[in-house]
Amino acid sequence: MTRLALGGAALAACLAVAAQRPDTTNYEEAKVPKYTLPDPLAMRNGERVRDAKTWTTRRRPEILEIYRSEVFGRSPAAPAKLDFEVASVDKAALGGKAVRKQVTVWFAGRNGGPKMDILIYLPAGAKKPAPLFLGLGFLGNDSVSLDPGVKLGEEWAPDPATRKMVKRANAETARGAAAQRWQLDMILARGYGLATINYADIEPDFDGGMPYGIRPLFFRPGQTQPAPDDWAAIGAWAWGLSRAMDYLETDRDIDAKHVAVFGHSRLGKTALWAGAQDTRFAMVISNESGEGGAAISRRNFGERTADLNARFPHWFCANFKKYSGREEEMPFDAHMLLALIAPRPLYVASAEGDQWSDPRGEFLAAVAASPVWALFGKRGIGTDQMPGNRQPIQHAVAYHIREGKHDVTTYDWEQYLKFAGAQWKSK
Ligand code: GTR
């Protein structure tokens, strides 16, 4: 794991995880015990969902409520003082290939309070509003490309002397550090825009990071800690994506009806939760989101609920803690999180070298969610045979696995662009 892959806070957390990873982790398919998934089409009162309307008006809200109370916690609505400041527009960025905008989203008014910075690139010379990929990144927006016009960001990292997490301005030398993961040129060449935000702008990613993020802004008088079903860090990051969408809807250069929300790993879990709650996201892409994301929790393979709760106690709401080692008691599983995206296009992607994320568990969740797309006359995965490397299945629910490690690669982006092109062809 290098600085290319993760920001300081995420990197520190990851190294800690690598050191502590238990030797009880199962990586043998033959040793996965049998399990029974909750039926996404069986309502709490025992009635069966047989049509799209019953799904949308009755079953979907039931599942959303389960995810709110038991998994990610409840998120507040947009704050009244939400304000967008278009800080800069360059119509000839990247040597004339792109329009670049840098927008500051002020969460509590333009007063120096909490804020996040959105970096937006749109194809230059577009004749109509551009469809766009929106994603949180582990690093500052200056990591997306070598473009010298992007404001340097700030990141949290452990202070070498005190080991405490501190926020620091990025150095010019870090510019472009995550460029491989964003494939900006390819995205623009296909006629899409890209918008990114450093997730640490919303809340820094470490246990104890909450006071430095936006959650305290919403505390009730006297409250200092989240309630058991209050949002946690993933909820906060997902909420930030929705606030970015609030801005995108105001920008006439952007086709806000065609915004795909994308995320990798913990930010893939975040993209799924953002897409589940906010139906303005027209497409959801989960890149190796793993446990607590697209992977079936009941499968004893790779990372488990107890691992998440022990190492990243700030990611999920306090109610989620009770499921450590008790996955069979969950009134939900990952296929139900995926089903909340229906009937919008969903892409689940895995990597062979990322067994910790349980690629087969990610595939099986996409399979088990597919009957919900069928209610809308859309084709889901359509097979329970897991495809081999680089054999993508791309219907309204898509899946691929590729060789290589836990990462976002050119191959992954090629698939997402192909998928968006096919799913949005009627646009
Ligand atoms: C790991 C964590 C995973 C995944 C990953 C990441 O340490 O166990 O759930 O989210 O981090 O975000 O890179």
Side-chain angles (χ1 to χ4, degrees), residues 1 6 13-14 17 21 138 264-267 269 288-291 303 308 312 315 356-357 406:
M1 196 73 61
L6 287 175
C14 237
V17 168
R21 202 163 284 179
F138 292 108
H264 169 59
S265 203
R266 65 199 70 186
L267 296 177
K269 309 182 212 297
E288 299 155 34
S289 61
E291 190 64 44
E303 185 172 32
L308 284 174
F312 306 105
W315 284 1
W356 180 242
S357 288
H406 187 60

mmCIF file with all atom_site columns, all heavy atoms in Angstrom, residues 1 6 13-14 17 21 138 264-267 269 288-291 303 308 312 315 356-357 406, ligand 1:
data_model
loop_
_atom_site.group_PDB
_atom_site.id
_atom_site.type_symbol
_atom_site.label_atom_id
_atom_site.label_alt_id
_atom_site.label_comp_id
_atom_site.label_asym_id
_atom_site.label_entity_id
_atom_site.label_seq_id
_atom_site.pdbx_PDB_ins_code
_atom_site.Cartn_x
_atom_site.Cartn_y
_atom_site.Cartn_z
_atom_site.occupancy
_atom_site.B_iso_or_equiv
_atom_site.pdbx_formal_charge
_atom_site.auth_seq_id
_atom_site.auth_comp_id
_atom_site.auth_asym_id
_atom_site.auth_atom_id
_atom_site.pdbx_PDB_model_num
ATOM   1   N N   . MET A 1 1   ? 0.857   -1.198  0.000  1.00 0.00 ? 1   MET A N   1
ATOM   2   C CA  . MET A 1 1   ? 0.000   0.000   0.000  1.00 0.00 ? 1   MET A CA  1
ATOM   3   C C   . MET A 1 1   ? 0.892   1.247   0.000  1.00 0.00 ? 1   MET A C   1
ATOM   4   O O   . MET A 1 1   ? 1.752   1.394   0.857  1.00 0.00 ? 1   MET A O   1
ATOM   5   C CB  . MET A 1 1   ? -0.848  -0.044  1.279  1.00 0.00 ? 1   MET A CB  1
ATOM   6   C CG  . MET A 1 1   ? -2.021  0.873   1.279  1.00 0.00 ? 1   MET A CG  1
ATOM   7   S SD  . MET A 1 1   ? -3.373  0.365   0.221  1.00 0.00 ? 1   MET A SD  1
ATOM   8   C CE  . MET A 1 1   ? -3.807  -1.220  0.940  1.00 0.00 ? 1   MET A CE  1
ATOM   9   N N   . LEU A 1 6   ? -3.744  5.389   -0.845 1.00 0.00 ? 6   LEU A N   1
ATOM   10  C CA  . LEU A 1 6   ? -4.588  5.891   0.226  1.00 0.00 ? 6   LEU A CA  1
ATOM   11  C C   . LEU A 1 6   ? -4.017  7.169   0.811  1.00 0.00 ? 6   LEU A C   1
ATOM   12  O O   . LEU A 1 6   ? -2.820  7.389   0.786  1.00 0.00 ? 6   LEU A O   1
ATOM   13  C CB  . LEU A 1 6   ? -4.663  4.859   1.369  1.00 0.00 ? 6   LEU A CB  1
ATOM   14  C CG  . LEU A 1 6   ? -5.486  3.611   1.121  1.00 0.00 ? 6   LEU A CG  1
ATOM   15  C CD1 . LEU A 1 6   ? -5.336  2.684   2.307  1.00 0.00 ? 6   LEU A CD1 1
ATOM   16  C CD2 . LEU A 1 6   ? -6.946  3.963   0.929  1.00 0.00 ? 6   LEU A CD2 1
ATOM   17  N N   . ALA A 1 13  ? -4.727  3.708   9.033  1.00 0.00 ? 13  ALA A N   1
ATOM   18  C CA  . ALA A 1 13  ? -5.724  2.718   9.450  1.00 0.00 ? 13  ALA A CA  1
ATOM   19  C C   . ALA A 1 13  ? -5.426  1.368   8.800  1.00 0.00 ? 13  ALA A C   1
ATOM   20  O O   . ALA A 1 13  ? -5.487  0.320   9.429  1.00 0.00 ? 13  ALA A O   1
ATOM   21  C CB  . ALA A 1 13  ? -7.123  3.195   9.058  1.00 0.00 ? 13  ALA A CB  1
ATOM   22  N N   . CYS A 1 14  ? -5.040  1.425   7.544  1.00 0.00 ? 14  CYS A N   1
ATOM   23  C CA  . CYS A 1 14  ? -4.789  0.203   6.788  1.00 0.00 ? 14  CYS A CA  1
ATOM   24  C C   . CYS A 1 14  ? -3.577  -0.552  7.322  1.00 0.00 ? 14  CYS A C   1
ATOM   25  O O   . CYS A 1 14  ? -3.590  -1.767  7.438  1.00 0.00 ? 14  CYS A O   1
ATOM   26  C CB  . CYS A 1 14  ? -4.512  0.574   5.350  1.00 0.00 ? 14  CYS A CB  1
ATOM   27  S SG  . CYS A 1 14  ? -5.624  -0.231  4.265  1.00 0.00 ? 14  CYS A SG  1
ATOM   28  N N   . VAL A 1 17  ? -4.486  -2.287  10.317 1.00 0.00 ? 17  VAL A N   1
ATOM   29  C CA  . VAL A 1 17  ? -5.269  -3.475  10.007 1.00 0.00 ? 17  VAL A CA  1
ATOM   30  C C   . VAL A 1 17  ? -4.366  -4.618  9.567  1.00 0.00 ? 17  VAL A C   1
ATOM   31  O O   . VAL A 1 17  ? -4.493  -5.743  10.031 1.00 0.00 ? 17  VAL A O   1
ATOM   32  C CB  . VAL A 1 17  ? -6.290  -3.171  8.890  1.00 0.00 ? 17  VAL A CB  1
ATOM   33  C CG1 . VAL A 1 17  ? -6.892  -4.440  8.361  1.00 0.00 ? 17  VAL A CG1 1
ATOM   34  C CG2 . VAL A 1 17  ? -7.366  -2.275  9.438  1.00 0.00 ? 17  VAL A CG2 1
ATOM   35  N N   . ARG A 1 21  ? -4.540  -8.205  11.347 1.00 0.00 ? 21  ARG A N   1
ATOM   36  C CA  . ARG A 1 21  ? -5.443  -9.112  10.645 1.00 0.00 ? 21  ARG A CA  1
ATOM   37  C C   . ARG A 1 21  ? -5.375  -10.506 11.280 1.00 0.00 ? 21  ARG A C   1
ATOM   38  O O   . ARG A 1 21  ? -4.309  -11.089 11.414 1.00 0.00 ? 21  ARG A O   1
ATOM   39  C CB  . ARG A 1 21  ? -5.034  -9.167  9.176  1.00 0.00 ? 21  ARG A CB  1
ATOM   40  C CG  . ARG A 1 21  ? -6.138  -9.609  8.283  1.00 0.00 ? 21  ARG A CG  1
ATOM   41  C CD  . ARG A 1 21  ? -5.821  -9.244  6.855  1.00 0.00 ? 21  ARG A CD  1
ATOM   42  N NE  . ARG A 1 21  ? -6.024  -7.829  6.594  1.00 0.00 ? 21  ARG A NE  1
ATOM   43  C CZ  . ARG A 1 21  ? -5.791  -7.269  5.422  1.00 0.00 ? 21  ARG A CZ  1
ATOM   44  N NH1 . ARG A 1 21  ? -5.334  -7.957  4.417  1.00 0.00 ? 21  ARG A NH1 1
ATOM   45  N NH2 . ARG A 1 21  ? -6.013  -5.991  5.251  1.00 0.00 ? 21  ARG A NH2 1
ATOM   46  N N   . PHE A 1 138 ? -9.529  9.482   -1.646 1.00 0.00 ? 138 PHE A N   1
ATOM   47  C CA  . PHE A 1 138 ? -8.794  9.392   -0.379 1.00 0.00 ? 138 PHE A CA  1
ATOM   48  C C   . PHE A 1 138 ? -7.836  10.571  -0.197 1.00 0.00 ? 138 PHE A C   1
ATOM   49  O O   . PHE A 1 138 ? -7.414  10.859  0.917  1.00 0.00 ? 138 PHE A O   1
ATOM   50  C CB  . PHE A 1 138 ? -7.976  8.094   -0.341 1.00 0.00 ? 138 PHE A CB  1
ATOM   51  C CG  . PHE A 1 138 ? -8.824  6.856   -0.255 1.00 0.00 ? 138 PHE A CG  1
ATOM   52  C CD1 . PHE A 1 138 ? -8.965  6.012   -1.343 1.00 0.00 ? 138 PHE A CD1 1
ATOM   53  C CD2 . PHE A 1 138 ? -9.485  6.543   0.920  1.00 0.00 ? 138 PHE A CD2 1
ATOM   54  C CE1 . PHE A 1 138 ? -9.745  4.863   -1.260 1.00 0.00 ? 138 PHE A CE1 1
ATOM   55  C CE2 . PHE A 1 138 ? -10.274 5.404   1.010  1.00 0.00 ? 138 PHE A CE2 1
ATOM   56  C CZ  . PHE A 1 138 ? -10.408 4.557   -0.086 1.00 0.00 ? 138 PHE A CZ  1
ATOM   57  N N   . HIS A 1 264 ? -14.435 3.523   -4.411 1.00 0.00 ? 264 HIS A N   1
ATOM   58  C CA  . HIS A 1 264 ? -13.563 2.354   -4.256 1.00 0.00 ? 264 HIS A CA  1
ATOM   59  C C   . HIS A 1 264 ? -13.444 1.999   -2.778 1.00 0.00 ? 264 HIS A C   1
ATOM   60  O O   . HIS A 1 264 ? -13.238 2.875   -1.942 1.00 0.00 ? 264 HIS A O   1
ATOM   61  C CB  . HIS A 1 264 ? -12.184 2.688   -4.826 1.00 0.00 ? 264 HIS A CB  1
ATOM   62  C CG  . HIS A 1 264 ? -11.125 1.673   -4.507 1.00 0.00 ? 264 HIS A CG  1
ATOM   63  N ND1 . HIS A 1 264 ? -11.241 0.352   -4.888 1.00 0.00 ? 264 HIS A ND1 1
ATOM   64  C CD2 . HIS A 1 264 ? -9.948  1.773   -3.839 1.00 0.00 ? 264 HIS A CD2 1
ATOM   65  C CE1 . HIS A 1 264 ? -10.167 -0.320  -4.466 1.00 0.00 ? 264 HIS A CE1 1
ATOM   66  N NE2 . HIS A 1 264 ? -9.376  0.527   -3.821 1.00 0.00 ? 264 HIS A NE2 1
ATOM   67  N N   . SER A 1 265 ? -13.596 0.705   -2.499 1.00 0.00 ? 265 SER A N   1
ATOM   68  C CA  . SER A 1 265 ? -13.316 0.190   -1.162 1.00 0.00 ? 265 SER A CA  1
ATOM   69  C C   . SER A 1 265 ? -14.253 0.809   -0.113 1.00 0.00 ? 265 SER A C   1
ATOM   70  O O   . SER A 1 265 ? -15.463 0.761   -0.297 1.00 0.00 ? 265 SER A O   1
ATOM   71  C CB  . SER A 1 265 ? -11.838 0.449   -0.853 1.00 0.00 ? 265 SER A CB  1
ATOM   72  O OG  . SER A 1 265 ? -11.413 -0.450  0.112  1.00 0.00 ? 265 SER A OG  1
ATOM   73  N N   . ARG A 1 266 ? -13.732 1.425   0.941  1.00 0.00 ? 266 ARG A N   1
ATOM   74  C CA  . ARG A 1 266 ? -14.642 2.030   1.925  1.00 0.00 ? 266 ARG A CA  1
ATOM   75  C C   . ARG A 1 266 ? -15.492 3.108   1.241  1.00 0.00 ? 266 ARG A C   1
ATOM   76  O O   . ARG A 1 266 ? -16.614 3.370   1.637  1.00 0.00 ? 266 ARG A O   1
ATOM   77  C CB  . ARG A 1 266 ? -13.861 2.603   3.115  1.00 0.00 ? 266 ARG A CB  1
ATOM   78  C CG  . ARG A 1 266 ? -12.963 3.756   2.785  1.00 0.00 ? 266 ARG A CG  1
ATOM   79  C CD  . ARG A 1 266 ? -11.899 3.972   3.850  1.00 0.00 ? 266 ARG A CD  1
ATOM   80  N NE  . ARG A 1 266 ? -10.927 2.887   3.830  1.00 0.00 ? 266 ARG A NE  1
ATOM   81  C CZ  . ARG A 1 266 ? -9.947  2.731   4.707  1.00 0.00 ? 266 ARG A CZ  1
ATOM   82  N NH1 . ARG A 1 266 ? -9.805  3.592   5.694  1.00 0.00 ? 266 ARG A NH1 1
ATOM   83  N NH2 . ARG A 1 266 ? -9.106  1.723   4.612  1.00 0.00 ? 266 ARG A NH2 1
ATOM   84  N N   . LEU A 1 267 ? -14.938 3.699   0.201  1.00 0.00 ? 267 LEU A N   1
ATOM   85  C CA  . LEU A 1 267 ? -15.711 4.706   -0.523 1.00 0.00 ? 267 LEU A CA  1
ATOM   86  C C   . LEU A 1 267 ? -16.667 4.056   -1.522 1.00 0.00 ? 267 LEU A C   1
ATOM   87  O O   . LEU A 1 267 ? -17.600 4.702   -2.002 1.00 0.00 ? 267 LEU A O   1
ATOM   88  C CB  . LEU A 1 267 ? -14.767 5.713   -1.187 1.00 0.00 ? 267 LEU A CB  1
ATOM   89  C CG  . LEU A 1 267 ? -13.939 6.513   -0.156 1.00 0.00 ? 267 LEU A CG  1
ATOM   90  C CD1 . LEU A 1 267 ? -12.960 7.450   -0.840 1.00 0.00 ? 267 LEU A CD1 1
ATOM   91  C CD2 . LEU A 1 267 ? -14.870 7.289   0.781  1.00 0.00 ? 267 LEU A CD2 1
ATOM   92  N N   . LYS A 1 269 ? -18.399 1.350   -0.404 1.00 0.00 ? 269 LYS A N   1
ATOM   93  C CA  . LYS A 1 269 ? -19.504 1.166   0.555  1.00 0.00 ? 269 LYS A CA  1
ATOM   94  C C   . LYS A 1 269 ? -20.299 2.473   0.615  1.00 0.00 ? 269 LYS A C   1
ATOM   95  O O   . LYS A 1 269 ? -21.532 2.496   0.622  1.00 0.00 ? 269 LYS A O   1
ATOM   96  C CB  . LYS A 1 269 ? -18.972 0.846   1.963  1.00 0.00 ? 269 LYS A CB  1
ATOM   97  C CG  . LYS A 1 269 ? -17.941 -0.295  2.077  1.00 0.00 ? 269 LYS A CG  1
ATOM   98  C CD  . LYS A 1 269 ? -17.536 -0.541  3.536  1.00 0.00 ? 269 LYS A CD  1
ATOM   99  C CE  . LYS A 1 269 ? -16.108 -1.025  3.777  1.00 0.00 ? 269 LYS A CE  1
ATOM   100 N NZ  . LYS A 1 269 ? -15.702 -2.297  3.240  1.00 0.00 ? 269 LYS A NZ  1
ATOM   101 N N   . GLU A 1 288 ? -14.823 -2.828  -5.649 1.00 0.00 ? 288 GLU A N   1
ATOM   102 C CA  . GLU A 1 288 ? -14.227 -3.575  -4.523 1.00 0.00 ? 288 GLU A CA  1
ATOM   103 C C   . GLU A 1 288 ? -14.642 -3.033  -3.165 1.00 0.00 ? 288 GLU A C   1
ATOM   104 O O   . GLU A 1 288 ? -13.805 -2.740  -2.315 1.00 0.00 ? 288 GLU A O   1
ATOM   105 C CB  . GLU A 1 288 ? -12.695 -3.579  -4.684 1.00 0.00 ? 288 GLU A CB  1
ATOM   106 C CG  . GLU A 1 288 ? -12.257 -4.251  -5.975 1.00 0.00 ? 288 GLU A CG  1
ATOM   107 C CD  . GLU A 1 288 ? -10.893 -3.788  -6.477 1.00 0.00 ? 288 GLU A CD  1
ATOM   108 O OE1 . GLU A 1 288 ? -10.019 -3.501  -5.663 1.00 0.00 ? 288 GLU A OE1 1
ATOM   109 O OE2 . GLU A 1 288 ? -10.721 -3.721  -7.713 1.00 0.00 ? 288 GLU A OE2 1
ATOM   110 N N   . SER A 1 289 ? -15.960 -2.903  -2.974 1.00 0.00 ? 289 SER A N   1
ATOM   111 C CA  . SER A 1 289 ? -16.457 -2.331  -1.707 1.00 0.00 ? 289 SER A CA  1
ATOM   112 C C   . SER A 1 289 ? -16.422 -3.334  -0.562 1.00 0.00 ? 289 SER A C   1
ATOM   113 O O   . SER A 1 289 ? -16.378 -2.946  0.600  1.00 0.00 ? 289 SER A O   1
ATOM   114 C CB  . SER A 1 289 ? -17.869 -1.784  -1.898 1.00 0.00 ? 289 SER A CB  1
ATOM   115 O OG  . SER A 1 289 ? -18.753 -2.812  -2.276 1.00 0.00 ? 289 SER A OG  1
ATOM   116 N N   . GLY A 1 290 ? -16.470 -4.623  -0.872 1.00 0.00 ? 290 GLY A N   1
ATOM   117 C CA  . GLY A 1 290 ? -16.248 -5.660  0.141  1.00 0.00 ? 290 GLY A CA  1
ATOM   118 C C   . GLY A 1 290 ? -17.234 -5.679  1.290  1.00 0.00 ? 290 GLY A C   1
ATOM   119 O O   . GLY A 1 290 ? -18.401 -5.304  1.158  1.00 0.00 ? 290 GLY A O   1
ATOM   120 N N   . GLU A 1 291 ? -16.734 -6.112  2.436  1.00 0.00 ? 291 GLU A N   1
ATOM   121 C CA  . GLU A 1 291 ? -17.566 -6.283  3.635  1.00 0.00 ? 291 GLU A CA  1
ATOM   122 C C   . GLU A 1 291 ? -18.215 -4.957  4.041  1.00 0.00 ? 291 GLU A C   1
ATOM   123 O O   . GLU A 1 291 ? -17.553 -3.913  4.040  1.00 0.00 ? 291 GLU A O   1
ATOM   124 C CB  . GLU A 1 291 ? -16.684 -6.805  4.782  1.00 0.00 ? 291 GLU A CB  1
ATOM   125 C CG  . GLU A 1 291 ? -17.454 -7.246  5.996  1.00 0.00 ? 291 GLU A CG  1
ATOM   126 C CD  . GLU A 1 291 ? -18.355 -8.438  5.701  1.00 0.00 ? 291 GLU A CD  1
ATOM   127 O OE1 . GLU A 1 291 ? -17.917 -9.386  5.027  1.00 0.00 ? 291 GLU A OE1 1
ATOM   128 O OE2 . GLU A 1 291 ? -19.509 -8.418  6.168  1.00 0.00 ? 291 GLU A OE2 1
ATOM   129 N N   . GLU A 1 303 ? -12.843 -10.540 5.005  1.00 0.00 ? 303 GLU A N   1
ATOM   130 C CA  . GLU A 1 303 ? -13.224 -9.649  6.110  1.00 0.00 ? 303 GLU A CA  1
ATOM   131 C C   . GLU A 1 303 ? -14.632 -9.949  6.615  1.00 0.00 ? 303 GLU A C   1
ATOM   132 O O   . GLU A 1 303 ? -15.516 -10.315 5.841  1.00 0.00 ? 303 GLU A O   1
ATOM   133 C CB  . GLU A 1 303 ? -13.153 -8.191  5.629  1.00 0.00 ? 303 GLU A CB  1
ATOM   134 C CG  . GLU A 1 303 ? -13.416 -7.183  6.741  1.00 0.00 ? 303 GLU A CG  1
ATOM   135 C CD  . GLU A 1 303 ? -13.158 -5.743  6.309  1.00 0.00 ? 303 GLU A CD  1
ATOM   136 O OE1 . GLU A 1 303 ? -13.356 -5.420  5.133  1.00 0.00 ? 303 GLU A OE1 1
ATOM   137 O OE2 . GLU A 1 303 ? -12.750 -4.947  7.181  1.00 0.00 ? 303 GLU A OE2 1
ATOM   138 N N   . LEU A 1 308 ? -14.666 -5.260  10.795 1.00 0.00 ? 308 LEU A N   1
ATOM   139 C CA  . LEU A 1 308 ? -15.051 -3.864  10.541 1.00 0.00 ? 308 LEU A CA  1
ATOM   140 C C   . LEU A 1 308 ? -15.259 -3.122  11.858 1.00 0.00 ? 308 LEU A C   1
ATOM   141 O O   . LEU A 1 308 ? -14.748 -2.020  12.052 1.00 0.00 ? 308 LEU A O   1
ATOM   142 C CB  . LEU A 1 308 ? -16.368 -3.806  9.756  1.00 0.00 ? 308 LEU A CB  1
ATOM   143 C CG  . LEU A 1 308 ? -16.342 -4.117  8.275  1.00 0.00 ? 308 LEU A CG  1
ATOM   144 C CD1 . LEU A 1 308 ? -17.773 -4.152  7.734  1.00 0.00 ? 308 LEU A CD1 1
ATOM   145 C CD2 . LEU A 1 308 ? -15.523 -3.092  7.511  1.00 0.00 ? 308 LEU A CD2 1
ATOM   146 N N   . PHE A 1 312 ? -12.607 -0.299  12.484 1.00 0.00 ? 312 PHE A N   1
ATOM   147 C CA  . PHE A 1 312 ? -13.136 0.976   11.989 1.00 0.00 ? 312 PHE A CA  1
ATOM   148 C C   . PHE A 1 312 ? -14.440 1.302   12.724 1.00 0.00 ? 312 PHE A C   1
ATOM   149 O O   . PHE A 1 312 ? -15.505 1.398   12.110 1.00 0.00 ? 312 PHE A O   1
ATOM   150 C CB  . PHE A 1 312 ? -13.385 0.902   10.478 1.00 0.00 ? 312 PHE A CB  1
ATOM   151 C CG  . PHE A 1 312 ? -12.170 0.461   9.695  1.00 0.00 ? 312 PHE A CG  1
ATOM   152 C CD1 . PHE A 1 312 ? -12.079 -0.817  9.161  1.00 0.00 ? 312 PHE A CD1 1
ATOM   153 C CD2 . PHE A 1 312 ? -11.101 1.332   9.509  1.00 0.00 ? 312 PHE A CD2 1
ATOM   154 C CE1 . PHE A 1 312 ? -10.960 -1.226  8.444  1.00 0.00 ? 312 PHE A CE1 1
ATOM   155 C CE2 . PHE A 1 312 ? -9.973  0.934   8.793  1.00 0.00 ? 312 PHE A CE2 1
ATOM   156 C CZ  . PHE A 1 312 ? -9.904  -0.349  8.262  1.00 0.00 ? 312 PHE A CZ  1
ATOM   157 N N   . TRP A 1 315 ? -16.982 3.884   11.302 1.00 0.00 ? 315 TRP A N   1
ATOM   158 C CA  . TRP A 1 315 ? -17.622 3.821   9.978  1.00 0.00 ? 315 TRP A CA  1
ATOM   159 C C   . TRP A 1 315 ? -19.137 3.589   10.049 1.00 0.00 ? 315 TRP A C   1
ATOM   160 O O   . TRP A 1 315 ? -19.900 4.136   9.257  1.00 0.00 ? 315 TRP A O   1
ATOM   161 C CB  . TRP A 1 315 ? -17.019 2.691   9.144  1.00 0.00 ? 315 TRP A CB  1
ATOM   162 C CG  . TRP A 1 315 ? -15.660 2.975   8.575  1.00 0.00 ? 315 TRP A CG  1
ATOM   163 C CD1 . TRP A 1 315 ? -14.908 4.115   8.741  1.00 0.00 ? 315 TRP A CD1 1
ATOM   164 C CD2 . TRP A 1 315 ? -14.886 2.097   7.746  1.00 0.00 ? 315 TRP A CD2 1
ATOM   165 N NE1 . TRP A 1 315 ? -13.718 3.986   8.072  1.00 0.00 ? 315 TRP A NE1 1
ATOM   166 C CE2 . TRP A 1 315 ? -13.673 2.765   7.453  1.00 0.00 ? 315 TRP A CE2 1
ATOM   167 C CE3 . TRP A 1 315 ? -15.092 0.827   7.228  1.00 0.00 ? 315 TRP A CE3 1
ATOM   168 C CZ2 . TRP A 1 315 ? -12.684 2.192   6.654  1.00 0.00 ? 315 TRP A CZ2 1
ATOM   169 C CZ3 . TRP A 1 315 ? -14.105 0.253   6.433  1.00 0.00 ? 315 TRP A CZ3 1
ATOM   170 C CH2 . TRP A 1 315 ? -12.917 0.931   6.147  1.00 0.00 ? 315 TRP A CH2 1
ATOM   171 N N   . TRP A 1 356 ? -9.692  -10.376 0.508  1.00 0.00 ? 356 TRP A N   1
ATOM   172 C CA  . TRP A 1 356 ? -10.213 -9.773  1.757  1.00 0.00 ? 356 TRP A CA  1
ATOM   173 C C   . TRP A 1 356 ? -11.629 -9.212  1.529  1.00 0.00 ? 356 TRP A C   1
ATOM   174 O O   . TRP A 1 356 ? -12.467 -9.240  2.401  1.00 0.00 ? 356 TRP A O   1
ATOM   175 C CB  . TRP A 1 356 ? -9.235  -8.675  2.197  1.00 0.00 ? 356 TRP A CB  1
ATOM   176 C CG  . TRP A 1 356 ? -9.537  -7.897  3.437  1.00 0.00 ? 356 TRP A CG  1
ATOM   177 C CD1 . TRP A 1 356 ? -9.763  -6.544  3.520  1.00 0.00 ? 356 TRP A CD1 1
ATOM   178 C CD2 . TRP A 1 356 ? -9.573  -8.375  4.807  1.00 0.00 ? 356 TRP A CD2 1
ATOM   179 N NE1 . TRP A 1 356 ? -9.942  -6.168  4.823  1.00 0.00 ? 356 TRP A NE1 1
ATOM   180 C CE2 . TRP A 1 356 ? -9.829  -7.267  5.633  1.00 0.00 ? 356 TRP A CE2 1
ATOM   181 C CE3 . TRP A 1 356 ? -9.419  -9.636  5.388  1.00 0.00 ? 356 TRP A CE3 1
ATOM   182 C CZ2 . TRP A 1 356 ? -9.942  -7.371  7.022  1.00 0.00 ? 356 TRP A CZ2 1
ATOM   183 C CZ3 . TRP A 1 356 ? -9.529  -9.739  6.775  1.00 0.00 ? 356 TRP A CZ3 1
ATOM   184 C CH2 . TRP A 1 356 ? -9.791  -8.629  7.570  1.00 0.00 ? 356 TRP A CH2 1
ATOM   185 N N   . SER A 1 357 ? -11.886 -8.692  0.304  1.00 0.00 ? 357 SER A N   1
ATOM   186 C CA  . SER A 1 357 ? -13.217 -8.151  -0.041 1.00 0.00 ? 357 SER A CA  1
ATOM   187 C C   . SER A 1 357 ? -14.222 -9.232  -0.425 1.00 0.00 ? 357 SER A C   1
ATOM   188 O O   . SER A 1 357 ? -15.384 -8.926  -0.665 1.00 0.00 ? 357 SER A O   1
ATOM   189 C CB  . SER A 1 357 ? -13.115 -7.180  -1.220 1.00 0.00 ? 357 SER A CB  1
ATOM   190 O OG  . SER A 1 357 ? -12.513 -5.979  -0.854 1.00 0.00 ? 357 SER A OG  1
ATOM   191 N N   . HIS A 1 406 ? -6.202  -4.892  -4.960 1.00 0.00 ? 406 HIS A N   1
ATOM   192 C CA  . HIS A 1 406 ? -7.210  -3.939  -4.486 1.00 0.00 ? 406 HIS A CA  1
ATOM   193 C C   . HIS A 1 406 ? -6.836  -2.535  -4.983 1.00 0.00 ? 406 HIS A C   1
ATOM   194 O O   . HIS A 1 406 ? -5.898  -1.923  -4.473 1.00 0.00 ? 406 HIS A O   1
ATOM   195 C CB  . HIS A 1 406 ? -7.190  -3.995  -2.953 1.00 0.00 ? 406 HIS A CB  1
ATOM   196 C CG  . HIS A 1 406 ? -8.267  -3.217  -2.286 1.00 0.00 ? 406 HIS A CG  1
ATOM   197 N ND1 . HIS A 1 406 ? -9.607  -3.461  -2.495 1.00 0.00 ? 406 HIS A ND1 1
ATOM   198 C CD2 . HIS A 1 406 ? -8.205  -2.221  -1.380 1.00 0.00 ? 406 HIS A CD2 1
ATOM   199 C CE1 . HIS A 1 406 ? -10.316 -2.633  -1.742 1.00 0.00 ? 406 HIS A CE1 1
ATOM   200 N NE2 . HIS A 1 406 ? -9.489  -1.869  -1.058 1.00 0.00 ? 406 HIS A NE2 1
HETATM 201 C C1  . GTR B 2 .   ? -9.691  -2.265  4.572  1.00 0.00 ? 1   GTR B C1  1
HETATM 202 C C2  . GTR B 2 .   ? -11.054 -2.590  5.124  1.00 0.00 ? 1   GTR B C2  1
HETATM 203 C C3  . GTR B 2 .   ? -11.988 -2.829  3.988  1.00 0.00 ? 1   GTR B C3  1
HETATM 204 C C4  . GTR B 2 .   ? -11.875 -1.771  2.886  1.00 0.00 ? 1   GTR B C4  1
HETATM 205 C C5  . GTR B 2 .   ? -10.484 -1.212  2.720  1.00 0.00 ? 1   GTR B C5  1
HETATM 206 C C6  . GTR B 2 .   ? -10.323 0.132   2.043  1.00 0.00 ? 1   GTR B C6  1
HETATM 207 O O1  . GTR B 2 .   ? -8.727  -2.168  5.534  1.00 0.00 ? 1   GTR B O1  1
HETATM 208 O O2  . GTR B 2 .   ? -10.904 -3.715  5.924  1.00 0.00 ? 1   GTR B O2  1
HETATM 209 O O3  . GTR B 2 .   ? -13.302 -2.952  4.482  1.00 0.00 ? 1   GTR B O3  1
HETATM 210 O O4  . GTR B 2 .   ? -12.796 -0.772  3.050  1.00 0.00 ? 1   GTR B O4  1
HETATM 211 O O5  . GTR B 2 .   ? -9.839  -1.044  3.911  1.00 0.00 ? 1   GTR B O5  1
HETATM 212 O O6  . GTR B 2 .   ? -11.149 1.037   2.178  1.00 0.00 ? 1   GTR B O6  1
HETATM 213 O O7  . GTR B 2 .   ? -9.270  0.305   1.435  1.00 0.00 ? 1   GTR B O7  1
#
